Structure formats: C-alpha cells, structure tokens
Amino acid sequence: MELATKKSGWVLNQQQTVEAFLCGAIRGEELRWPTATDREFYNSFLDRAIANGVDCLVCHCLKPTPAWQQLPDDLREQLEQRTRNAIAVEMARASDLAALNEGLAGAGLDMLLLKGSALAYTHYPQPHLRARVDTDIFIDPRKIRQVRAVLEDLGYGLLGWTYKSHQFSATRGKYDGRVIRYDVHWRANNGARFARVIDFSAAMRDSVSVPQLLGSRTLDPARALLLACMHRASTVQQNHDRLNWVYDAHLLFIAMKADEQTEFARLALQNNLQAICLETLKHSR
C-alpha cells in the first residue's frame, strides 16, 4: 500500500512537471529540457499535450524558438505529423461547414458556431491549432424539427434522442473514411444550472461574423467567455483544467475591449455566475 501511494504521488508530480513545461512552451518562455535520454519525460510530454488538446499549439509556439531544436528528433517529427494531419482535417471541416451553412440558410434557419469551433477561427493564429473532435453549433429551440429535416436532406445521420438532452449529433463520412461530426445544441450548455443562461434569440441578435468562414456567425465576446466558464464548471466527467479550455478563456479575455469586459461581468452577476467566472479567469492567468 505504501509503495502504491508513493507511485501515485510520483505520477502526479511527473504530470505536474510535464504540464508546467507545456504551459511554459505556450507562454513562449525559455525552457531547459531534461536530457534527451529521458524518454519517460518526452513520451509523457507528447501524451499530455495530446490529452490537453495543445499538441499542435505547442508545436506552433516552439518552432520559432531555440527550444524546438533541443527536442529529440522523433518528438519533433511526431508533433509535425500531428500538425499536418490537423491541417488536413480542418480543411475538410471548413468545406463541410460551408455546405451546412448554405443548406440551413437556404431553408431560412439560423445557427451559431460555439466554443472551440468558433474560437479556432476568431482567436487562434490558425484554426487547426484549436484541437476538437466535433463542431458545436447552436440553433433556435423552436426550430429543432426543421433543422433535423434539413440535415437529413443534406445526407447527415442523426444520433441521440432529441428530447433526452439539449443536443443531438449529426455525422457523415467525409475524408479518408473518417467522420465529420456536429453537436447540435438548442441550449448553449447541457447542465441544468446553465442551460437557459444564454438565450438563442438574444445571442443571435448580438452575434458576430466569423470572417474566414463566409456566412458563419458566433457568440459575441462576452457570451463566448461566459460559455467558456460555464463549460469548465459543468464538465464533471472530464478534466475541467484541460489546457485548451483554459487557453480559450485566456485568448477571449485578453482580446476583449473594456465595454465587452463590462458586459461579461454584467452577465455573470445577472446569472449568479461570478464565482465560476472568477475561478476560470484566475486559472487562465
């Protein structure tokens, strides 16, 4: 039992050390890597980068620095290969999203991009740097049946019991046998406490365009940051300190104008979410 406890503590300390290096890489700090023979560290570094959704981001941040050349050759190659794959996937996603946008707009239906699906284009230097497995979209809860009909007409398979949650999934094969997946939300968050905080009609009224994705719109900065904070708080089955979620909040906050920060604070207070929002901002700092 004592050995197990020591081993558990050692693993935790190793993860904390590795994640400190990940954060340092993203911040652009000068890094002093362990010796190249420390395979356990470098294997863990890659594993934790992938698990935290920052492998491509770390590659992007390290490549212009001397620290990049100090990494073992095989680790550099793996990071570069994952980046190449992510770029290819992003191109397929963007093409499919344009077709979906056109199909919904042609039927007179609105949608908003949510979370990382939007931030990848509005706040990250390049969209493939924001890792994600699906594209989150937000629709009018009064138009669920119409949206489902359009999606089926466009060739998507629909998954999930429509009224058992606040979302369903739409999928279809698109690239190299892989699947394009959308999570279609009619509430911005599935948690009971947060489900009705962001009203679709108000969000659509105050929405902003996503310039690189013609026709796409997303939440205004204040609601986008509010949603990022709610998402972390409501995700109890995953690591709520996942680095790409924390980095989303960081990018949103530093890009906000003073009036947008004031609106974010107003929304947090109005919905009694100030403690949750403050915790996220402290953590991102």
Side-chain angles (χ1 to χ4, degrees), residues 8-285:
S8 175
W10 178 81
V11 170
L12 179 61
N13 289 337
Q14 184 193 50
Q15 287 186 2
Q16 290 173 338
T17 298
V18 168
E19 290 187 10
F21 271 89
L22 290 174
C23 291
I26 294 169
R27 288 193 296 261
E29 295 177 352
E30 182 178 348
L31 300 175
R32 295 184 179 181
W33 300 108
T35 174
T37 59
D38 189 350
R39 298 311 307 171
E40 192 165 17
F41 170 84
Y42 289 107
N43 290 338
S44 181
F45 183 84
L46 179 61
D47 290 345
R48 298 306 298 166
I50 295 169
N52 279 277
V54 294
D55 48 325
C56 294
L57 181 63
V58 164
C59 181
H60 172 82
C61 293
L62 284 177
K63 286 191 81 169
T65 73
W68 175 252
Q69 294 302 326
Q70 296 163 11
L71 287 172
D73 292 346
D74 62 322
L75 178 56
R76 291 204 308 271
E77 175 53 34
Q78 289 181 80
L79 288 171
E80 289 184 317
Q81 183 59 54
R82 292 190 66 82
T83 296
R84 289 191 290 269
N85 291 343
I87 291 171
V89 169
E90 196 59 50
M91 291 173 66
R93 277 193 186 128
S95 173
D96 196 84
L97 183 59
L100 175 59
N101 245 325
E102 184 177 355
L104 289 174
L109 297 168
D110 293 321
M111 78 169 204
L112 294 171
L113 285 178
L114 291 181
K115 300 186 287 189
S117 307
L119 299 178
Y121 286 90
T122 58
H123 286 73
Y124 280 75
Q126 298 172 34
H128 70 275
L129 300 179
R130 178 45 167 89
R132 56 205 187 279
V133 297
D134 50 42
T135 298
D136 291 283
I137 64 175
F138 189 21
I139 64 169
D140 189 332
R142 299 168 298 180
K143 302 293 179 67
I144 298 170
R145 292 185 184 277
Q146 294 97 311
V147 170
R148 287 176 67 89
V150 170
L151 288 170
E152 288 183 317
D153 287 344
L154 291 173
Y156 293 93
L158 306 185
L159 307 172
W161 294 98
T162 307
Y163 297 106
K164 294 289 185 181
S165 179
H166 296 304
Q167 70 178 69
F168 63 89
S169 295
T171 66
R172 67 175 169 183
K174 187 69 176 181
Y175 53 96
D176 295 336
R178 303 181 196 178
V179 173
I180 292 277
R181 176 183 174 122
Y182 294 90
D183 279 350
V184 185
H185 302 259
W186 57 92
R187 302 293 179 198
N189 187 283
N190 284 341
R193 179 181 177 187
F194 309 117
R196 298 178 185 274
V197 168
I198 298 178
D199 173 73
F200 178 82
S201 296
M204 192 69 209
R205 179 197 66 213
D206 296 336
S207 64
V208 297
S209 65
V210 183
Q212 294 183 57
L213 295 172
L214 189 63
S216 293
R217 301 189 71 80
T218 186
L219 301 177
D220 61 280
R223 285 185 178 87
L225 182 53
L226 189 70
L227 180 59
C229 296
M230 292 191 297
H231 181 62
R232 283 190 68 238
S234 64
T235 309
V236 295
Q237 295 180 335
Q238 300 180 53
N239 174 19
H240 72 277
D241 287 337
R242 182 179 164 92
L243 289 181
N244 64 346
W245 295 348
V246 177
Y247 195 61
D248 286 349
H250 165 72
L251 291 180
L252 278 161
F253 188 75
I254 64 172
M256 291 170 80
K257 300 173 183 177
D259 62 327
E260 293 168 339
Q261 293 179 353
T262 299
E263 176 62 9
F264 165 68
R266 186 191 69 79
L267 289 170
L269 289 167
Q270 175 183 300
N271 292 284
N272 195 28
L273 298 176
Q274 57 267 41
I276 286 170
C277 292
L278 181 60
E279 193 277 333
T280 295
L281 292 181
K282 283 183 174 179
H283 200 69
S284 68
R285 184 177 63 185

